[in-house]
Amino acid sequence: MIKDELNALLSQSVDGLITQGLLPPGDYPIPVVESPKQAEHGDFAVTFALASAKVAGMNPRQVGELLATALQATDTFESVEVAGPGFVNLRVKPNKFEGSLAEVLNSTDKRILEKPGHFARPAQPHPHRINVEFVSVNPNGPITIGSGRGAAYGSALCNLLEASGHTVHREYYINDGVNSEQMRQFALSVRALKLGTEFPEKGYRGDYVQAVADVLDTAEDHPTEWWQSEAQATMLERQRRDLEAFGVVFDTWFSEQSLHDAGIVAECLNELIAKGAADDEPRRTVLKMGKKGAIEEVVREDQPQDEDDAEGSERTVWLRSTKFGDDMDRVLRRRDGRLTYIASDVAYHRDKFNRPSSADRLITVLGPDHHGYINRLRAVVAAMRMSPSEPNGVPAFGEAAELFRDQAEQASCEAATRQAEKELLVQIFQLVRFLKDGKPAPMRKRDGNIFALSDLVDEIGQRLHPDADRKTQQQAGRDVARFFYLMRHHDTTFDFDLDLAAKQSDENPVFYVQYAHARICQLIDRAKTEIPGVIPDVTAADLGIREVSLTELHERERSLLIKVFELREEVARAAEDLAVNRIATYAIELARAYHGFYDQCRVIDAAQPDVSKKRLAIVLATQTALRAALDLLGVSAPERM
RNA sequence: GCCCUGGUAGCUCAGUGGAUAGAGCAACGGCCUUCUAAGCCGUUGGUCGGAGGUUCGAUUCCUCUCCAGGGCGCCA
C-alpha cells in the first residue's frame, strides 16, 4: 500500500543522505509518513526532521531541506515542501497511486474475513492463536442491553483480530456450576411458577421466568438439580437465539460444570497445593496497597476455626493469590467442601491453554462490575502456569519476606505473574446509559422484567420501519444497535440515545455510512447499463485497472483514495489497541470522503469514458473498503435504501 | 483508603508526542430540469477540568490535585 512504499522511499533517502555525508551518522528514528490533519498540508507529512534534529546536531529546517531535496529527486512527488518548524509535506504524483488502487480492486467481491489476501489484511508479524471469551453471563436471564455492549464489542473484536492476521476462537463460558446460589434461586423460582409452590424470597421475577416455566414439560416435582439444569438449558437456548439474531456466534459454549464432573477442578486444586500456590493454613493475607501498586503493608488475618462446625467440615483451602499480584488471598474450597467459582476458573484457564489447537493468548471481555476481577484472574493464570521451585533457603527482602517461602519461590511466582500479564488480556467495557426522551431509561422494569438485548433490537427496528416485515426490522435494529455500541471506545461510559438510534435521519451515523454504500451500488448498477464496457472488470484475472491510468486527480478523488488506502493501517492499529471503535470512526470518515467526491465528481459520463473508467475504479475501491469496515463491525451494507 | 474509567465547541464525541485541536448534531446561510438531498458547501462556536514536570514540541507521557461514574465477598 502507498504508505509502505513511501516509507521505504524515505528510509532510502535518509540512508542516502548519510552515505553522502550530508547527514552525520547516528541513531536516527525510522522516518515514516503521517496523515496530516489538514488537507492543505498535502497527502502525507514527515516529521523526521523534527525528530532527528538533535541526533543530527542541525536545526530541524535544515534537515527538512536536505530530505526534501532528496525526495524531489525520486520523481514520486508533485510537490515537496518544508513547512513550519521542519515538516516535510508531500503531494504524491497521481500515477503513484495506481499500484495501491489495483491492490484494492483485486480484493473487490472478496470479504475481509474470508480471503487472506484481502487488501485490508496487514502482514501480521506476530500471529497468535487467540481465545476470546465474551458475554459469559449467568444462564438465569436473557442477554441484557448492558451485556449487549460486551456482545457487540467481543464479536467485532474477534473479526478485527482475524482481519489483522490472528487465529481466533470465540468462546462463551457457561456459569452452570451446580453450587451457584444464584442458579439455585432461579431454578426454585421456575419451580414455584410451574408447580404453584411457595415463591423463594430471593427469587427471580419477570416474564422470562414464566416463559421458562411454560416451556418445561412436567407436572410433578423433581430434585432441585433437575430444575436447575432444565431451567438453565432453556434460558441458555434463549440467549443463544438472541445473540445469533444480534450477529454473535461462538465456536465453543464451555460448561463450567463439565469441569467439576470430570474432576478436573479438584485435580487442579491438588496441583496448586503441591506447587505451594495454595494451602489450608487458617489465615488470609491481605495487602494494604499504596499509590502505584506499591505494597504498604502485608496483613496476616488469622481465620477463626469454628470448633462448633459440623463434623466432617473441612479446612478452607486458600489460593495464595497475593503471591501473584492479587491484593488478597482467595478461597478455593469452602469449609463445607464446596469448590468456589475461582477454583473452576483455574481449571478453565488450564483447559484453554491445553486444548489440541491451544491458544497462546487469552482475551477475556468483562463488564464494568468485574473490574476487580482482573488481578484475581491474572493470579489464577499465574498460579496455574507457575513451575514449582526448589527451596533455596534464601529469605526474601522486605514485604516479600512475608509472602514468599524464599527467594527461589519469589522468583518463580513473579516470573509466572509476568508471563500471565502477557498471556491474559482482560478487557473491561464500561457502562452504557440508555437515554429516552433525553432522560436515562431504566434497565430493569418495575415488574421485574429486564430490558433485554432482543427488546432493544426490536424496539429500534419497529420505530425505524413500523410497516416493514419482522426480518427488515430486526436487520435495521441490529445494524443500528451494533453500530451505536461500537462507535465509542469500549472502555468509556457512553450514552446510547434511543431516540437518535430510532431516527432515520441525517443525525444517525449508521445511515450516513450505509447510505454511502447504497449510493455506490446504485451508481455501479446504472453504469453497467448506461456505459457498459467502461466499468473496470474486477473479475478478470489481470485487472481492468491496468487500463486505468491516474494521470490527474481531482482533490476529492485524491482524498478519497488516500482514505481508502488507510483501511489496512487502521485495521492493524485498531487490532493492536483492541479498539474496535476506530473502525466505526474510519467508516464514517470514509463515507464522508465518498459523499464529498460524489457531490463534485460526475462519474457516469458517456462523453468522457476515460474519466468514467477512472472514477468507477475509485468507486469500486471505496465500496470494497466500506464493505470491509462494515463487515468488521457486523453491520450490513445495504444495496439500496 | 485503594483500584479502574472519564472530564476536549451549547450537546454527543474523535484525536497516533507535532503545524492554526477535529467531526456530527444544534444555530445561521447557500446548492437538486444531469449518477439516491438519508447528500454537499460555507459561517458561528474552545482557558483540551486545574497546577507542576519531561520534551525542540504535550489534548497525548509523568507527578499532584479537583469533579463525575464504577469497583473492591468463603456471590457468580
Side-chain angles (χ1 to χ4, degrees), chain A residues 195-263:
Chain A
L195 303 179
T197 53
E198 194 189 341
F199 199 82
E201 200 178 320
K202 290 180 181 171
Y204 288 67
R205 297 186 183 276
D207 296 343
Y208 64 95
V209 188
Q210 184 65 54
V212 172
D214 291 345
V215 167
L216 295 189
D217 186 21
T218 184
E220 57 202 274
D221 204 356
H222 299 271
T224 309
E225 290 75 25
W226 183 89
W227 290 102
Q228 212 164 308
S229 82
E230 290 295 316
Q232 220 161 244
T234 310
M235 206 65 252
L236 215 51
E237 193 42 45
R238 157 103 200 257
Q239 290 186 357
R240 198 192 303 252
R241 268 204 325 272
D242 287 357
L243 286 168
E244 205 176 309
F246 194 56
V248 178
V249 289
F250 292 93
D251 299 305
T252 300
W253 291 69
F254 194 97
S255 154
E256 177 194 353
Q257 184 58 33
S258 71
L259 293 165
H260 289 283
D261 293 343

Side-chain angles (χ1 to χ4, degrees), chain A residues 410-475:
Chain A
Q410 181 179 7
S412 180
C413 290
E414 286 176 356
T417 305
R418 279 194 302 276
Q419 181 71 12
E421 279 170 9
K422 276 197 284 183
E423 290 178 335
L424 173 73
L425 298 175
V426 179
Q427 287 298 302
I428 302 288
F429 62 89
Q430 297 293 336
L431 278 181
V432 190
R433 221 164 38 130
F434 287 82
L435 297 182
K436 219 171 190 173
D437 306 323
K439 288 179 301 220
M443 306 270 281
R444 185 177 284 272
K445 303 169 186 170
R446 222 177 314 157
D447 58 6
N449 272 313
I450 287 167
F451 196 4
L453 181 59
S454 55
D455 298 335
L456 177 72
V457 170
D458 289 346
E459 181 176 334
I460 295 173
Q462 284 162 15
R463 283 172 67 178
L464 281 172
H465 305 294
D467 304 317
D469 58 277
R470 185 164 163 72
K471 200 180 157 205
T472 308
Q473 291 180 341
Q474 281 210 325
Q475 182 68 61

Side-chain angles (χ1 to χ4, degrees), chain A residues 472-498:
Chain A
T472 308
Q473 291 180 341
Q474 281 210 325
Q475 182 68 61
R478 165 182 154 179
D479 282 346
V480 171
R482 285 191 66 103
F483 198 93
F484 269 61
Y485 274 125
L486 295 174
M487 66 185 178
R488 307 296 176 218
H489 191 275
H490 61 281
D491 204 3
T492 312
T493 53
F494 90 106
D495 292 337
F496 192 122
D497 188 333
L498 286 164

